[in-house]
Amino acid sequence: MIDKTIRMNYLYDFYYALLTEKQNQYMSMYYLDDWSLGEIAEYFHISRQAVYDNIRRTEVLLEEYEEKLQLLKKYEGRKTEIEKLKKLLQQGEHPYLDEVVRALENLE
Amino acid sequence: MIDKTIRMNYLYDFYYALLTEKQNQYMSMYYLDDWSLGEIAEYFHISRQAVYDNIRRTEVLLEEYEEKLQLLKKYEGRKTEIEKLKKLLQQGEHPYLDEVVRALENLE
């Protein structure tokens, strides 16, 4: 299980397009730009509790989208398979080995 | 541009988990099981127009999800890249060539 902040960063990256503008604002300030709850609250002239509640609800929503669409899970599955493939390829020689490995890394 | 029925089948496959139970029923009968609008209407004792409207609205919704998440577009991009990679690999020899190509096909 990856660390919660890293997981939320991934989930946010996959599903931000499904969030409202307000949810996107709070989440990007908190998770991407590393603002504190207090700083966000002050910036928007609302209570720290209101920011906290909004972010917690959005986190639950992101987990619900992941449960339904599994984009993070599938991404991690592809990443593992690509790593295995790279190792397999590097056990032999091939005229385009470097090119193939680079293209594989861009596939994720 | 792929044929509309094929496109809807793909979109439905990617996003069905975001639809309601009713939307899923109509869409799977119409697109996966190839029932006519009249047959679905008769089965649920509703008008053909009601089935038609529901399916059209769901199609719009699926296109909206695709606009936001682009799962079909990304899938097609990966498929094209994987085809290129397979062709590149087959231009040379490698002790695990068959295994790598098979694994690539499972990556999509």
Side-chain angles (χ1 to χ4, degrees):
Chain A
M1 186 63 183
I2 49 177
D3 170 83
K4 193 200 158 187
T5 303
I6 298 176
R7 181 174 171 84
M8 276 302 145
N9 265 287
Y10 272 112
L11 292 182
Y12 182 62
D13 196 39
F14 282 118
Y15 302 113
Y16 74 90
L18 299 177
L19 302 179
T20 66
E21 201 185 320
K22 185 58 73 185
Q23 288 168 333
N24 265 314
Q25 267 179 332
Y26 294 168
M27 289 297 281
S28 65
M29 289 168 104
Y30 188 68
Y31 278 107
L32 305 186
D33 306 331
D34 207 28
W35 287 39
S36 71
L37 295 174
E39 286 167 336
I40 300 172
E42 202 175 318
Y43 184 84
F44 287 109
H45 307 290
I46 53 172
S47 70
R48 189 183 171 288
Q49 185 65 37
V51 177
Y52 176 83
D53 289 345
N54 190 297
I55 289 177
R56 284 296 163 275
R57 274 197 304 271
T58 308
E59 287 169 355
V60 170
L61 191 60
L62 291 178
E63 289 289 358
E64 282 170 5
Y65 281 133
E66 174 62 11
E67 208 166 297
K68 288 175 180 170
L69 296 178
Q70 314 214 314
L71 299 187
L72 175 55
K73 196 177 163 197
K74 286 176 188 167
Y75 165 80
E76 287 180 332
R78 277 199 305 276
K79 229 170 113 170
T80 306
E81 287 308 308
I82 285 170
E83 275 311 306
K84 274 195 228 161
L85 262 177
K86 276 166 59 183
K87 280 193 186 125
L88 201 61
L89 277 165
Q90 280 155 346
Q91 281 173 39
E93 291 190 2
H94 189 281
Y96 299 113
L97 189 63
D98 290 347
E99 203 175 334
V100 171
V101 168
R102 257 201 315 281
L104 271 176
E105 284 164 351
N106 287 330
L107 259 189
E108 292 171 2
Chain B
M1 187 63 181
I2 49 177
D3 170 83
K4 192 199 160 189
T5 303
I6 298 176
R7 181 175 172 84
M8 276 302 145
N9 265 287
Y10 272 111
L11 292 182
Y12 182 63
D13 197 39
F14 283 118
Y15 302 112
Y16 73 90
L18 299 177
L19 302 180
T20 66
E21 200 185 322
K22 184 59 71 187
Q23 287 168 336
N24 264 314
Q25 267 178 332
Y26 294 168
M27 287 298 280
S28 65
M29 287 168 105
Y30 188 67
Y31 278 109
L32 306 186
D33 305 330
D34 208 29
W35 287 39
S36 71
L37 295 174
E39 285 167 337
I40 301 172
E42 202 175 320
Y43 183 84
F44 288 109
H45 306 290
I46 53 172
S47 71
R48 189 184 171 286
Q49 186 66 36
V51 178
Y52 176 84
D53 289 345
N54 189 297
I55 288 176
R56 284 296 163 273
R57 274 197 304 273
T58 308
E59 287 169 355
V60 170
L61 190 61
L62 291 178
E63 289 289 358
E64 282 169 4
Y65 282 132
E66 174 62 11
E67 207 167 296
K68 289 176 179 168
L69 296 178
Q70 313 213 316
L71 300 187
L72 175 56
K73 197 178 161 195
K74 287 176 188 167
Y75 166 79
E76 288 180 330
R78 279 200 303 278
K79 229 170 114 171
T80 306
E81 288 308 310
I82 285 169
E83 275 310 306
K84 275 194 227 160
L85 263 176
K86 276 167 60 182
K87 281 194 186 125
L88 200 60
L89 277 166
Q90 281 155 345
Q91 281 172 39
E93 292 191 359
H94 189 280
Y96 300 112
L97 189 63
D98 289 347
E99 204 174 333
V100 171
V101 168
R102 258 200 315 279
L104 271 176
E105 284 164 350
N106 287 330
L107 259 189
E108 291 170 3

